[in-house]
Amino acid sequence: MVFENSRALIVEGGAMRGIFASGVLDAFMTTDFRPYDFAMGVSAGASNLLGYLSHQPKRSYNVITELATSNRFFNPRRFLKGGDLVDVNWLWKESNRRYPIDKRTLFSSIPIWATVTNVSNGHADYYRITESNIKDAMVASAALPIAVKTPPCFSGGCYTDGGVADSIPVKEAYRRGARDITVILSHPLSYHMNPTKHPWLMRKLLSRYPGVTEAMLHRAENYNASLEFIRNPPADSVVKVIAPPENFPVKRLTMKPETIEEGYLMGVEAGHSHIANLMGRHGLTEENCHFCI
């Protein structure tokens, strides 16, 4: 599906770092700020988009702070005994039991795509979220390789976390016709992903899935290429970035409540600042504020 000269919202994943995007999108909801034609999310980013597009403030915050921090979801002891490090199926079911998605609002909003990685070839696939595939696509998008022993399968394929193949699908949004792209990142703008230090270990751990292995080995290269696209977009497009500050304290596996709360409030502040920048309240315009943080 192509949206010519459209506006897209892209939300990166990043496990617990997703609390920043949660704050940004909650800030957007306070003023019903939704100037986009379509959205694309990856892993935790896709989950954050569900709360935003169903207009359910604090839903993503609650899922992260109450459920993603639970040892029912993240359990190293279970992993050492041969189970999954993270139970994405439990997280999906429990989050929807406690905080049911307002599907009427969600599916009357702009279309949303979840990014997944096809285990057969290591390439990114993009599933438009519908009532029939929402559970499968969301679980697949967050099913981290190695952390989830058996990749979830649906629609004729098996998949792992979308961040393996395309952590920031800005190029895909551009390919689909977006020429005004807003990206919510999980790392500060200065971030640069380094290649894996032990490729031999990656090949050993993922020996059953050579396509995923290759995607993991090239992940840093692809990630940095997306950042380069963001910093130097094509001449016919504008990319706006909302990124955590340099002192953002939340890491991928941060579980400390006060640290997560701090990261959330940074996201809320960044969301409000983004709207203010676009409205010229800080004296900034699209001409002199390319990133509009």
Side-chain angles (χ1 to χ4, degrees), residues 218-287:
H218 290 90
R219 183 169 181 245
E221 177 185 338
N222 292 333
Y223 188 95
N224 294 330
S226 293
L227 291 178
E228 181 62 24
F229 182 97
I230 289 169
R231 295 174 180 130
N232 297 284
D236 64 343
S237 63
V238 172
V239 177
K240 306 181 183 79
V241 177
I242 308 172
E246 293 296 328
N247 63 338
F248 186 61
V250 183
K251 308 302 180 186
R252 176 173 287 275
L253 297 178
T254 294
M255 296 293 167
K256 193 174 181 181
E258 51 266 42
T259 302
I260 296 172
E261 182 70 18
E262 184 181 357
Y264 172 75
L265 293 176
M266 286 181 171
V268 172
E269 181 180 358
H272 285 305
S273 293
H274 180 76
I275 297 171
N277 288 344
L278 293 179
M279 297 181 70
R281 292 176 187 166
H282 295 168
L284 301 173
T285 66
E286 290 187 1
E287 284 70 35

Side-chain angles (χ1 to χ4, degrees), residues 35-46:
Y36 310 108
D37 298 301
F38 69 95
M40 304 187 78
V42 184
S43 192

Side-chain angles (χ1 to χ4, degrees), residues 140-153:
S141 186
L144 290 164
I146 302 172
V148 176
K149 303 281 188 181
T150 303
C153 303

Side-chain angles (χ1 to χ4, degrees), residues 17 35 61 75 77 90 101 160 164 169 200 213 233 240 258 266-267 273 282:
R17 284 181 170 274
Y61 170 89
N75 193 321
R77 182 175 297 179
W90 175 85
I101 295 170
T160 190
V164 173
W200 64 269
T213 301
K240 306 181 183 79
E258 51 266 42
M266 286 181 171
S273 293
H282 295 168

Side-chain angles (χ1 to χ4, degrees), residues 84-264:
D84 291 336
L85 179 62
V86 293
D87 190 338
V88 288
N89 278 294
W90 175 85
L91 184 65
W92 173 259
K93 292 175 183 176
E94 188 65 13
S95 62
N96 284 287
R97 184 183 71 82
R98 296 195 194 184
Y99 311 106
I101 295 170
D102 181 348
K103 292 184 178 180
R104 177 176 296 181
T105 300
L106 174 64
F107 292 116
S108 64
S109 183
I110 64 173
I112 168 180
W113 275 262
T115 304
V116 298
T117 300
N118 193 311
V119 300
S120 67
N121 54 27
H123 297 165
D125 288 342
Y126 309 90
Y127 277 96
R128 180 172 177 177
I129 298 299
T130 65
E131 288 199 54
S132 63
N133 73 8
I134 183 170
K135 184 261 186 185
D136 290 327
M138 294 302 297
V139 166
S141 186
L144 290 164
I146 302 172
V148 176
K149 303 281 188 181
T150 303
C153 303
F154 72 101
S155 192
C158 297
Y159 305 94
T160 190
D161 190 293
V164 173
D166 194 358
S167 296
I168 316 171
V170 285
K171 294 181 181 179
E172 179 64 18
Y174 181 84
R175 189 188 71 79
R176 291 173 182 264
R179 294 299 179 265
D180 185 328
I181 304 172
T182 298
V183 183
I184 304 177
L185 295 176
S186 297
H187 291 277
L189 272 174
S190 62
Y191 180 71
H192 179 88
M193 183 177 286
N194 295 318
T196 181
K197 294 181 180 179
H198 306 292
W200 64 269
L201 180 60
M202 193 67 64
R203 288 192 171 93
K204 182 177 180 180
L205 293 173
L206 292 170
S207 59
R208 292 172 57 195
Y209 309 108
V212 177
T213 301
E214 290 306 306
M216 288 291 288
L217 294 177
H218 290 90
R219 183 169 181 245
E221 177 185 338
N222 292 333
Y223 188 95
N224 294 330
S226 293
L227 291 178
E228 181 62 24
F229 182 97
I230 289 169
R231 295 174 180 130
N232 297 284
D236 64 343
S237 63
V238 172
V239 177
K240 306 181 183 79
V241 177
I242 308 172
E246 293 296 328
N247 63 338
F248 186 61
V250 183
K251 308 302 180 186
R252 176 173 287 275
L253 297 178
T254 294
M255 296 293 167
K256 193 174 181 181
E258 51 266 42
T259 302
I260 296 172
E261 182 70 18
E262 184 181 357
Y264 172 75

